Amino acid sequence: MFSALAFKIAMDEGRKLIYVRIYSGDIEVGHEVYNAAKDEKEKIARIFRMHANKKERVTSARLVKLLPSWDSKKTTTGDTLCDEANRFCSSL
């Protein structure tokens, strides 16, 4: 079961990066996540591990002390991302 919270948006080289905090499970490039706030699915095209002002492209991310980010078109700050089969919505 995957769940994460989008907490920051930044523009980098003309792309919108979504910073997320993963609370459970893991995610891989190519997987779809469900955006509970918008009731939509979104495919993960890229995942980055951030190091200060540098980013490292990775193929997956899991519940660890890192803040991955990915290129996203629809996700905004405060959105809950999860598996569609295990829908969860966090209100902060």
Side-chain angles (χ1 to χ4, degrees):
M1 184 171 99
F2 171 76
S3 66
L5 177 69
F7 70 89
K8 179 180 177 180
I9 297 175
M11 292 300 289
D12 181 53
E13 299 174 2
R15 295 181 187 257
K16 181 173 140 183
L17 292 179
I18 307 298
Y19 288 76
V20 299
R21 175 67 184 222
I22 297 175
Y23 289 102
S24 66
D26 58 357
I27 188 69
E28 293 181 6
V29 171
H31 283 185
E32 283 188 340
V33 294
Y34 175 74
N35 185 328
K38 295 193 173 40
D39 194 28
E40 295 181 353
K41 291 188 283 187
E42 193 166 354
K43 189 171 184 175
I44 304 302
R46 291 176 268 273
I47 302 174
F48 301 101
R49 180 175 299 137
M50 304 305 289
H51 301 281
N53 63 346
K54 297 178 184 173
K55 63 184 180 221
E56 171 190 356
R57 196 167 181 167
V58 296
T59 58
S60 65
R62 63 177 47 189
L63 176 65
V64 291
K65 291 187 178 180
L66 62 88
L67 303 173
S69 63
W70 56 67
D71 191 12
S72 174
K73 294 182 176 116
K74 300 177 184 176
T75 303
T76 57
T77 302
D79 286 354
T80 300
L81 307 169
C82 58
D83 294 324
E84 188 173 19
N86 300 297
R87 293 181 181 194
F88 171 82
C89 187
S90 172
S91 58
L92 297 175

